[in-house]
Amino acid sequence: MWVGHYAPALVAKTICPRVPLPILAFAGALPDAAFMVLNLIGVESFNLDRSIQRQGGCFPYTNDYPYSHSLAGMVGLGILSV
């Protein structure tokens, strides 16, 4: 799951070698940080799903993050972080 956040940072490092990798990695983690803030204020959520847990799934929860992980939300985070 997290490779989807950090793989673009590694690809971007080859395109923009002068940008430090920690900054690119932070940009990849920014949607998850926004999710945690929005989760704390009750806008987005994740819940333990017992059916997934019984099946032995790696991530036994369901989530609802329509803002932090949407394209519009990521563009907004990018604009706010500049």
Side-chain angles (χ1 to χ4, degrees):
M1 173 187 288
W2 295 290
V3 73
H5 289 283
Y6 295 111
L10 297 173
V11 172
K13 183 65 177 170
T14 63
I15 297 168
C16 304
R18 298 181 75 194
V19 179
L21 186 58
I23 291 176
L24 295 172
F26 174 73
L30 200 54
D32 285 337
F35 168 71
M36 287 301 159
V37 170
L38 292 173
N39 184 33
L40 287 173
I41 62 174
V43 175
E44 296 182 341
S45 66
F46 69 95
N47 304 306
L48 180 64
D49 189 342
R50 298 284 182 197
S51 64
I52 298 172
Q53 188 179 25
R54 274 185 256 119
Q55 295 172 357
C58 184
F59 299 104
Y61 58 86
T62 58
N63 46 32
D64 180 31
Y65 38 68
Y67 302 111
S68 64
H69 284 69
S70 68
L71 181 59
M74 288 188 206
V75 168
L77 284 172
I79 290 171
L80 288 174
S81 65
V82 172

